[in-house]
Amino acid sequence: MRKQFSTYISQPSLDFCPGGEPASFWIAVQNNSPDYASFQLSLKAAGVEEQLLPRWYKLVSADAYTIPPNDCIKFEVNITDLPPSREGFVGILALQANTYSPELDAHDSQTIKLCVTGVSPEIVIHTDNLQVVPETQLAIAVDVVNPNQHPTSLALQLTGLPADWLPDEKKSLLLSPKATQRVTFLCRVPVASQVPCGFYPFSVDILQAEKVTVSQSALLEVLQAGQVVLQCDAPHQRIPARAGRFLNSSRQPATYTFTAENQSNVEVAGDVLFREKSSSSWWKRWRSRWAKETDREPISMEVDLPLGSEKETHLRLDCPRPWLGWGRYREFEPEAYQLAPTVDIQSSPDTLSVQVLPVIARWLQGLGIIGLMILGWLLVFQGHRATVTYVQFPHKTEEPIEEVISGAIDGEVLSWPVALHRTWRPQKVEGQEGAIAEHPVEVIRYQPPDNTLVAVGFKDGKIRLYNQQNKQFEYALDANIDKPCEGLENFKENDTFYTGDRIFDLLFSSDGQTLYSAHGSGRILKWPLTEASKQPTCLQPAEHTIAAMTWIETAGQPLLAVAGSGNRLKLIDGETGAINQILPPIAGASIAVSRHHHIRTLASPTHDSSYLAVGDDRGNLSLVDLNACSAESCDRAVAWSGHDGKPIRATAFSDDGCYLTSVGDDGQAKLWPIDTDMADNTPYLRRFPAEEIVIRKSRQRFSRHPLKLKALETVDLVQVDNKLLVLTGGKDQQVHIDSKSISSINRRFKGHTCPTKTQPAR
């Protein structure tokens, strides 16, 4: 008997993966009855109760169809999920497709095999640490999740990265149901020059049945690393490279060859700047102040290095060359690296140096220096090597002045021949014992009237007498403090420099047979040169320091004028030492004087010894008429500031008393014309009302401050024919003779009258 309707299924079996694409099939129904009939389709899984509203499959077209006889319909079905109570099932599930017609009261069934493969595993890549630098290892962590209720066997593979980076790029796993397992792939990144900086994509795949079922991608970042190495095999150069025999005329600059190697993982391009290295020596810092601006600009070297390359690059350095000197040694060091991108630089060596030779060959300069030294020794260095403390002209005789004598702190006494009014090639005064002394010379005096002997006083209290005729020392006088003299208990015995009693001044008697010495202790000793024993007589016991002595004449009586501390001036008898007169302080009107002030120098003219020139340590010059002075006052004193308030060290009169010369700490030697004036019909001395004549400004040649004035310590004045000769010495270590014409002086100072014997100043 023929069925009232028949069914046909599109395929007897289906593959289905839960959570994946739906599994689709269709069933065709043929109406074999003579009447209209409606048809319905439903699915049922084995062992699962049928639900009114199933949710695990879906009819695409409609739930039911009514068709005429001999007509055909098609039901399309999509299976979207597993039936209830079958979640997590993997295997073959039998499904029954039931077709039912209410009008025909008939049904038909078709069996379908549903092959359930299960849910695909999940992959999670940890991307929080996917940054690496070259020559390091990185662990890439991957979590694999099995969402199924049965164990799953699979293979995990990492692809996209170079094979030599991955020691093990494939791993096999057996995952438990509903389990998560972490898998780590070890990535070894090679050296920087083989791995450019940037991002590297990779993927992790799950292989099941040799097919990729799940894949997950990520990016691995390789960070910038490595360095650029600059190597210079010849860091020291010379300009010119080859020295000439006489002149270094070549202008070829120095060339440094660098080998630049890019050991980084980026392409590098830019400039390297070199700047001259600063020096700690003071003369190089001073020279750099006067260097040209171009010398201080940095020197640039271009660098262009592709990845992993090695090139040679050159740096040219040109420096200005001096004409003289031993050359310049200059050092340069890298200051800045203007490279893109910024990378580390390793420079070897750290400093470049260049020796710049002078234009004139060094041996030729050395020969010239030796010649200059010989010439300087002949012209300059044959004099004193220390401060000149005393100079003196010989006493005026019928013979012309042929030489002068000087002494200095270095203990030497030199005799200077006089030619054309200048000094030239002195002779060292020596005796049988060789050098004259080791102690500083304080004073030198020629013996009147014929200059046979020269008395030299030293700071240690000793006196030596030198014979000008046979060029030998006659004998020595010792003025040490153990000689008999009253008041020695007041003398300071704790002098740390000298054990003797310092000599400040020496003075011969008019016949030259007696020598007087003034000492720091205040003693005045009288030495009889005609006696064999030569034991001194103490004219004055130790009291205040005596700094200067001179012979004067008052009321027809020759007296010895002595002065020193407290600006006190005393007149004593040269034979007995009796005090003739003690004058008040000589310092000018209304000037307070203390015991700390000193009269440094006394001078009186030869033709008229009744008046004095007095100089003190406050820069005051005074002209004193002794005949007009009393114990209470010296009203006839004329005082002025002669050297800008600086101490006056020495004074000297011309023989006729018309001119006075003085020197002081201001470094100037000055000439003062002396005049007479009338007051109450009485002539008296005065300074000529005009500016002084500056004879010399003392400067020391070849010193650190050649323009700075040096203090002058000593001066002497003599008139020869129509000229005044001024002899000076001081801290410039030189002895100078300056000449001034008397006629030119008189023309400058018109109205100048001279106080001589024919016109005495009383």
Side-chain angles (χ1 to χ4, degrees):
M1 179 177 177
R2 185 180 179 185
K3 291 183 177 182
Q4 293 183 356
F5 67 91
S6 57
T7 58
Y8 305 93
I9 191 167
S10 62
Q11 55 193 57
S13 63
L14 294 174
D15 292 332
F16 178 65
C17 179
E21 294 293 331
S24 301
F25 68 95
W26 55 266
I27 293 178
V29 179
Q30 177 71 35
N31 186 3
N32 297 326
S33 69
D35 300 318
Y36 277 87
S38 62
F39 298 93
Q40 298 177 355
L41 179 65
S42 63
L43 292 182
K44 183 180 179 182
V48 179
E49 294 182 359
E50 189 173 357
Q51 295 176 328
L52 294 177
L53 294 175
R55 299 182 181 276
W56 56 278
Y57 69 91
K58 180 180 181 182
L59 295 177
V60 178
S61 55
D63 295 338
Y65 289 96
T66 301
I67 59 176
N70 297 321
D71 199 358
C72 181
I73 61 170
K74 184 187 290 185
F75 288 95
E76 293 183 6
V77 182
N78 287 341
I79 299 175
T80 59
D81 203 352
L82 291 175
S85 72
R86 293 294 185 179
E87 291 85 356
F89 175 80
V90 177
I92 298 176
L93 181 64
L95 300 179
Q96 189 175 11
N98 297 320
T99 306
Y100 174 72
S101 174
E103 290 81 8
L104 299 178
D105 192 19
H107 67 274
D108 190 15
S109 297
Q110 293 285 346
T111 301
I112 300 173
K113 293 181 179 179
L114 185 64
C115 299
V116 182
T117 59
V119 180
S120 298
E122 299 177 1
I123 300 175
V124 178
I125 302 176
H126 293 272
T127 59
D128 53 347
N129 61 341
L130 293 183
Q131 290 183 334
V132 65
V133 295
E135 293 189 84
T136 59
Q137 294 183 356
L138 175 67
I140 301 176
V142 179
D143 289 342
V144 183
V145 182
N146 181 13
N148 302 300
Q149 295 181 353
H150 60 85
T152 301
S153 179
L154 53 86
L156 202 63
Q157 180 177 345
L158 192 150
T159 59
L161 297 179
D164 57 347
W165 291 20
L166 303 171
D168 189 5
E169 62 180 357
K170 189 175 182 180
K171 296 180 182 293
S172 298
L173 301 176
L174 179 60
L175 295 179
S176 301
K178 299 292 182 177
T180 301
Q181 184 174 346
R182 175 165 293 187
V183 180
T184 300
F185 290 92
L186 186 63
C187 179
R188 297 175 180 174
V189 183
V191 296
S193 59
Q194 301 177 6
V195 186
C197 173
F199 291 91
Y200 291 79
F202 68 94
S203 63
V204 179
D205 303 330
I206 293 180
L207 302 179
Q208 290 178 319
E210 301 300 328
K211 295 182 180 179
V212 177
T213 59
V214 178
S215 181
Q216 184 71 33
S217 300
L219 292 176
L220 174 65
E221 182 182 5
V222 177
L223 302 177
Q224 178 180 325
Q227 61 185 1
V228 172
V229 178
L230 296 176
Q231 180 73 33
C232 182
D233 296 332
H236 179 71
Q237 301 286 339
R238 187 170 65 179
I239 300 177
R242 187 174 182 179
R245 179 175 298 179
F246 297 99
L247 296 177
N248 300 314
S249 57
S250 175
R251 297 187 58 85
Q252 184 177 4
T255 301
Y256 299 88
T257 301
F258 284 86
T259 301
E261 181 181 0
N262 187 1
Q263 297 180 357
S264 68
N265 57 353
V266 292
E267 294 185 359
V268 179
D271 296 325
V272 179
L273 302 181
F274 291 83
R275 184 176 290 276
E276 185 172 0
K277 187 177 180 181
S278 60
S279 176
S280 58
S281 59
W282 66 267
W283 66 270
K284 285 187 178 180
R285 291 198 304 268
W286 175 85
R287 185 185 63 80
S288 64
R289 296 180 182 178
W290 302 97
K292 296 181 180 179
E293 187 67 25
T294 55
D295 295 341
R296 295 195 294 268
E297 293 180 354
I299 305 168
S300 175
M301 181 179 69
E302 184 178 356
V303 176
D304 184 9
L305 296 173
L307 187 67
S309 64
E310 181 177 337
K311 290 185 177 181
E312 281 191 357
T313 182
H314 302 280
L315 175 66
R316 296 172 64 87
L317 178 61
D318 192 7
C319 299
R321 291 175 298 151
W323 280 86
L324 300 175
W326 296 130
R328 297 177 182 174
Y329 184 79
R330 305 177 66 177
E331 293 182 339
F332 295 83
E333 59 183 357
E335 179 196 39
Y337 301 98
Q338 299 177 350
L339 302 179
T342 303
V343 297
D344 294 334
I345 304 293
Q346 179 183 352
S347 179
S348 178
D350 296 334
T351 303
L352 305 178
S353 62
V354 60
Q355 183 184 14
V356 185
L357 299 180
V359 176
I360 301 177
R362 290 180 290 187
W363 73 267
L364 192 60
Q365 295 184 54
L367 187 62
I369 290 175
I370 293 174
L372 290 176
M373 291 176 63
I374 295 174
L375 181 61
W377 181 78
L378 293 175
L379 296 179
V380 179
F381 297 104
Q382 290 206 25
H384 291 289
R385 293 174 177 82
T387 301
V388 179
T389 55
Y390 212 87
V391 294
Q392 191 179 26
F393 283 112
H395 294 284
K396 194 171 183 181
T397 61
E398 295 180 358
E399 299 293 333
I401 298 176
E402 297 182 355
E403 63 181 8
V404 296
I405 201 164
S406 65
I409 290 180
D410 57 7
E412 289 187 342
V413 177
L414 300 181
S415 177
W416 302 79
V418 178
L420 300 177
H421 306 303
R422 63 189 179 96
T423 56
W424 179 257
R425 292 195 182 184
Q427 293 182 349
K428 189 173 181 180
V429 176
E430 295 182 351
Q432 297 177 354
E433 301 177 3
I436 180 169
E438 298 180 355
H439 294 281
V441 175
E442 287 288 339
V443 60
I444 301 175
R445 292 290 188 180
Y446 278 101
Q447 182 189 36
D450 54 2
N451 307 304
T452 303
L453 295 178
V454 176
V456 183
F458 296 94
K459 201 167 186 176
D460 63 347
K462 295 181 180 180
I463 305 171
R464 291 196 178 189
L465 284 93
Y466 173 72
N467 193 310
Q468 284 279 72
Q469 296 177 353
N470 55 22
K471 305 298 181 182
Q472 291 184 355
F473 280 100
E474 292 287 337
Y475 46 83
L477 306 177
D478 191 355
N480 282 334
I481 59 176
D482 56 353
K483 299 298 179 181
C485 197
E486 297 179 0
L488 287 181
E489 62 277 4
N490 297 326
F491 179 66
K492 296 181 180 179
E493 298 182 3
N494 58 349
D495 194 333
T496 58
F497 295 96
Y498 306 101
T499 58
D501 191 0
R502 178 177 178 180
I503 294 178
F504 276 93
D505 204 356
L506 294 176
L507 194 63
F508 278 100
S509 61
S510 59
D511 57 2
Q513 302 303 310
T514 305
L515 179 65
Y516 297 86
S517 61
H519 297 266
S521 63
R523 296 183 303 159
I524 299 177
L525 301 182
K526 174 183 177 183
W527 303 85
L529 302 182
T530 56
E531 298 179 5
S533 63
K534 297 182 176 59
Q535 291 296 322
T537 302
C538 184
L539 293 184
Q540 177 176 295
E543 48 180 31
H544 298 294
T545 300
I546 301 300
M549 298 186 301
T550 187
W551 287 109
I552 58 96
E553 182 179 343
T554 176
Q557 180 183 2
L559 296 174
L560 192 63
V562 296
S565 60
N567 279 28
R568 291 289 181 174
L569 178 62
K570 292 193 297 184
L571 307 181
I572 63 174
D573 192 318
E575 293 296 329
T576 63
I579 298 177
N580 180 275
Q581 192 175 5
I582 299 178
L583 302 179
I586 304 297
S590 302
I591 299 179
V593 177
S594 71
R595 62 184 181 87
H596 300 292
H597 299 143
H598 289 75
I599 291 178
R600 294 285 187 178
T601 175
L602 296 175
S604 62
T606 304
H607 289 185
D608 195 342
S609 301
S610 61
Y611 53 91
L612 285 173
V614 181
D616 61 21
D617 57 3
R618 293 191 296 178
N620 296 312
L621 275 172
S622 302
L623 291 178
V624 182
D625 187 352
L626 296 176
N627 291 330
C629 286
S630 63
E632 290 78 17
S633 64
C634 279
D635 296 335
R636 300 293 184 172
V638 179
W640 70 94
S641 180
H643 290 264
D644 299 329
K646 299 294 181 64
I648 296 174
R649 298 293 179 178
T651 56
F653 263 116
S654 61
D655 291 340
D656 55 7
C658 294
Y659 304 96
L660 174 67
T661 183
S662 62
V663 294
D665 285 1
D666 62 346
Q668 300 185 70
K670 297 183 178 181
L671 184 68
W672 311 86
I674 304 302
D675 201 356
T676 58
D677 203 349
M678 300 293 292
D680 300 331
N681 297 323
T682 303
Y684 66 93
L685 291 175
R686 68 167 184 172
R687 169 194 166 197
F688 190 77
E691 294 183 358
E692 72 278 5
I693 300 175
V694 178
I695 301 297
R696 170 167 294 278
K697 292 185 177 181
S698 175
R699 294 183 175 92
Q700 186 174 4
R701 295 173 291 178
F702 310 108
S703 65
R704 295 180 59 182
H705 305 286
L707 299 180
K708 184 178 180 180
L709 296 182
K710 301 292 183 178
L712 290 173
E713 299 282 339
T714 178
V715 67
D716 200 6
L717 177 65
V718 68
Q719 179 177 343
V720 177
D721 298 331
N722 191 38
K723 292 183 178 179
L724 292 177
L725 301 183
V726 181
L727 180 64
T728 56
K731 290 188 177 181
D732 61 352
Q733 304 177 8
Q734 303 293 318
V735 176
H736 298 279
I737 297 181
D738 296 281
S739 175
K740 283 291 181 179
S741 171
I742 295 179
S743 58
S744 64
I745 296 174
N746 291 336
R747 284 195 300 270
R748 177 176 177 181
F749 298 98
K750 295 180 180 181
H752 173 233
T753 57
C754 182
T756 62
K757 277 289 184 180
T758 58
Q759 188 182 358
R762 291 288 187 265

